[in-house]
Amino acid sequence: MVKTRKMTAAFASAIALSVALTACGGPSNSGTDTGASSSGAGASASKKTVTFTIGYATGDPATKQAMADSIAAFTKANPNIKINDLSEGGMASYLDWLKTKDAVGEFPDLVEMRDTQLFSEAGKIAELPAEWVGLFADAPKLNGKIWTAPIVGTAPQGIIYSKKAYADAGIAAEPKTYDEFLAIQEKLKTKGITPLTFGGKDIFHWGFWVNKFLMDDVLADDPNWNSKRTKGQVSFTDAGPMQAMKDFNELFTKGYVDKGYLSTADNQTASMLVTGKAAQLFSGPWMFAQIAQADPKFDFGWYPVPDRKGRIVVNGLNSLQGWSISTKANQDADKKAAISEFIKFFFSKEQYSKFLKAVNGLPTTKEPITYDSAPQMKRVLEVMSDPNTIKTLQINSFWGENQMPPQWRNWYYKLIQDWLTKGDFSADYMKKADAEWDANVKANAAGK
């Protein structure tokens, strides 16, 4: 079972004193200190031309560009290895995109895996090669096996805010309680400033706020809630889930969220912020680069939103997400060797530090990785290293008995859109959530 945990004081102090990001754990013995050294041996051993396909989520522009840059750097250093990038944008969720690729026989050889349990049980991905495993400080296991090479550490989400908008509304301090957070929204609204931008056009964006409240009111206190829901021991109509969705609903009904949220894409939210069309965005550190690129002079801050008990609860535990090798590619010795060279290159000190800086990511390697971080990222580090910060997972990130039915997530986000459009949220919607969860569990069991 996955347990909610707090950071130890010793580790917290170590991070708090650090100006740069550093991975947990001691030095790696993998010999991947630079991009050149990590790939040279394999490339020189065999000049045979090898091609493999790659697929990853493209919702975040900064991450998309950083991935493309990593691929370009690798293929330049290894001209005998060709990488066919299948990744593409669009309105389809990443899970649906992968299912479509699989259906047409184009499942990527190297794939960013998010629904790991689903694809491992379907036999689509292979256990991680031993030479990859040694690169990482912590790679969670499913059924006693490691399936993913964690690309970045789990990053928390919080409020990215315009310091000018806060000053104009007379807001001088970050909220210490959830009531203080709501008071900030009222001050901004009263001043004629739209409090929150929301990328509701992209289905994945709905998970940001939805999971914030579910973690606050359910998962921080009961990390085994999902398994209990599957067994019929708990319900979405219980007090915790109901409070979570009431709080979520209130952001919209009280006019705190920009009215055009359904037509706003996630990659438009940075522009909404820097142009003053909204004062705040609830998101993670991967957005910092987008905001700085949109307006280098824009002055902004970041903070976690307290729950109703005054606690700081964040999405911060390691999950079963990262690079996976397909079962088919794993059975092809040439492809497997080429993909392994890419993995060693990607996580090498020189290349990985560039990637992390581009996405404001937390490192996962045994070998310490550092890069200069902006003030907003240092604030993220403070939160993550604070021993009082409660770390859990989003409802869709648990595994084993606590796995959420994969197809339930996007269905639920669309259900929420339905009640927001109609303005009639009630326990009846949560009963539908229970019924859909049960139906999905039954269908998935029948399909095995």
Side-chain angles (χ1 to χ4, degrees):
M1 298 293 177
V2 178
K3 300 293 184 182
T4 301
R5 66 174 185 259
K6 295 184 179 180
M7 298 283 281
T8 64
F11 182 60
S13 298
I15 293 291
L17 291 173
S18 175
V19 176
L21 285 169
T22 304
C24 302
S28 170
N29 58 4
S30 62
T32 57
D33 56 333
T34 67
S37 65
S38 68
S39 61
S44 62
S46 174
K47 293 297 182 181
K48 181 179 180 180
T49 299
V50 181
T51 300
F52 69 84
T53 59
I54 192 170
Y56 50 87
T58 59
D60 171 52
T63 301
K64 179 182 178 181
Q65 187 60 54
M67 287 291 194
D69 290 345
S70 296
I71 293 170
F74 175 77
T75 53
K76 182 179 180 180
N78 299 267
N80 64 306
I81 299 177
K82 312 297 181 183
I83 300 179
N84 183 10
D85 191 347
L86 304 179
S87 309
E88 56 191 37
M91 288 302 296
S93 72
Y94 184 60
L95 173 59
D96 291 339
W97 179 80
L98 275 183
K99 286 182 175 180
T100 299
K101 285 297 181 185
D102 181 39
V104 298
E106 296 179 0
F107 192 78
D109 297 318
L110 177 63
V111 57
E112 180 187 355
M113 187 48 56
R114 296 185 173 185
D115 294 277
T116 304
Q117 186 163 348
L118 175 68
F119 286 97
S120 65
E121 291 179 349
K124 298 300 178 181
I125 57 175
E127 182 179 0
L128 221 60
E131 61 183 307
W132 298 18
V133 175
L135 299 173
F136 306 103
D138 180 22
K141 293 182 178 181
L142 170 65
N143 298 325
K145 298 180 180 180
I146 297 175
W147 302 90
T148 55
I151 297 173
V152 292
T154 304
Q157 292 167 319
I159 287 292
I160 302 172
Y161 66 96
S162 164
K163 290 187 176 181
K164 181 182 183 301
Y166 269 40
D168 290 346
I171 303 165
E174 296 177 2
K176 301 299 182 185
T177 66
Y178 187 69
D179 284 340
E180 289 181 7
F181 172 73
L182 292 179
I184 286 175
Q185 310 316 301
E186 280 296 329
K187 285 185 178 181
L188 289 166
K189 183 182 175 183
T190 300
K191 193 68 177 179
I193 302 170
T194 298
L196 291 160
T197 181
F198 184 91
K201 185 177 180 180
D202 290 316
I203 194 72
F204 69 86
H205 192 100
W206 289 83
F208 297 175
W209 275 113
V210 169
N211 273 293
K212 182 267 184 300
F213 292 118
L214 286 176
M215 289 189 298
D216 286 354
D217 294 310
V218 181
L219 302 171
D221 297 313
D222 189 356
N224 296 315
W225 191 89
N226 283 4
S227 66
K228 294 176 181 177
R229 169 77 283 282
T230 297
K231 296 172 184 175
Q233 298 171 352
V234 295
S235 166
F236 280 101
T237 61
D238 292 344
M242 283 297 296
Q243 183 63 55
M245 292 302 96
K246 285 178 181 177
D247 287 338
F248 174 85
N249 202 55
E250 184 178 52
L251 296 178
F252 293 82
T253 58
K254 288 197 171 183
Y256 299 151
V257 176
D258 176 62
K259 293 181 179 179
Y261 66 89
L262 282 175
S263 60
T264 302
D266 178 86
N267 62 13
Q268 294 176 300
T269 55
S271 176
M272 293 282 288
L273 201 62
V274 302
T275 57
K277 294 180 180 178
Q280 307 161 116
L281 164 67
F282 186 75
S283 193
W286 56 87
M287 289 298 299
F288 298 164
Q290 278 192 58
I291 294 169
Q293 185 177 22
D295 183 355
K297 296 182 180 179
F298 183 71
D299 194 10
F300 66 100
W302 179 94
Y303 63 80
V305 180
D307 71 359
R308 287 192 173 275
K309 299 176 184 177
R311 306 176 302 176
I312 298 300
V313 177
V314 300
N315 177 37
L317 295 182
N318 286 335
S319 63
L320 289 175
Q321 298 186 1
W323 289 124
S324 289
I325 185 170
S326 73
T327 301
K328 188 175 180 179
N330 193 56
Q331 295 168 348
D332 184 318
D334 291 335
K335 280 190 177 183
K336 182 178 180 180
I339 292 171
S340 292
E341 287 303 316
F342 175 78
I343 289 296
K344 287 186 286 185
F345 178 90
F346 183 88
F347 289 105
S348 65
K349 188 171 185 178
E350 181 180 339
Q351 184 62 34
Y352 193 39
S353 62
K354 293 177 182 177
F355 179 84
L356 291 173
K357 185 174 183 179
V359 303
N360 282 286
L362 301 171
T364 61
T365 52
K366 285 182 179 177
E367 183 173 19
I369 304 293
T370 62
Y371 65 86
D372 292 333
S373 56
Q376 299 86 359
M377 191 63 203
K378 291 174 184 175
R379 182 72 179 96
V380 171
L381 281 175
E382 290 175 3
V383 171
M384 295 299 281
S385 63
D386 189 333
N388 294 312
T389 296
I390 299 172
K391 297 182 178 182
T392 184
L393 290 171
Q394 296 181 343
I395 192 170
N396 52 281
S397 295
F398 290 87
W399 62 88
E401 291 184 357
N402 282 307
Q403 183 192 32
M404 174 203 75
Q407 65 269 51
W408 183 87
R409 174 181 53 202
N410 290 346
W411 174 89
Y412 185 61
Y413 296 162
K414 291 174 183 177
L415 179 72
I416 292 173
Q417 293 176 32
D418 188 32
W419 83 52
L420 286 175
T421 300
K422 296 177 180 177
D424 62 348
F425 173 71
S426 70
D428 288 338
Y429 282 99
M430 303 301 269
K431 291 178 182 178
K432 291 180 181 179
D434 280 334
E436 184 69 13
W437 184 293
D438 293 340
N440 292 165
V441 169
K442 184 177 181 180
N444 294 343
K448 290 183 178 179

